[in-house]
Amino acid sequence: MLDVQISRIHSGAICNEIGERLSAALGQQSNELPARLLALIDELVKVEPPVVPSDARPI
């Protein structure tokens, strides 16, 4: 097996592309999170605010 290393920029671009293609393939039903999961995410944000990397840029 090859040991291939890619940069964070390329890794992020690949993840975004996979996400977009999955979203298109699965349709609208996959874009909605269950209410319980949304509640847990809100609870987590209250306890631990999201961390934004210093090199993050708007999409």
Side-chain angles (χ1 to χ4, degrees):
M1 179 159 231
L2 295 175
D3 182 24
V4 178
Q5 296 184 3
I6 59 174
S7 70
R8 268 195 244 160
I9 293 170
H10 289 107
S11 175
I14 291 168
C15 289
N16 288 340
E17 185 66 25
I18 290 170
E20 289 173 12
R21 290 183 186 202
L22 276 174
S23 183
L26 295 174
Q28 183 63 28
Q29 82 277 1
S30 66
N31 290 337
E32 299 171 12
L33 294 175
R36 176 69 178 142
L37 183 56
L38 290 172
L40 289 171
I41 291 170
D42 288 340
E43 201 174 310
L44 179 62
V45 170
K46 289 176 187 173
V47 175
E48 186 175 321
V51 176
V52 178
S54 61
D55 62 342
R57 57 185 169 86
I59 297 175

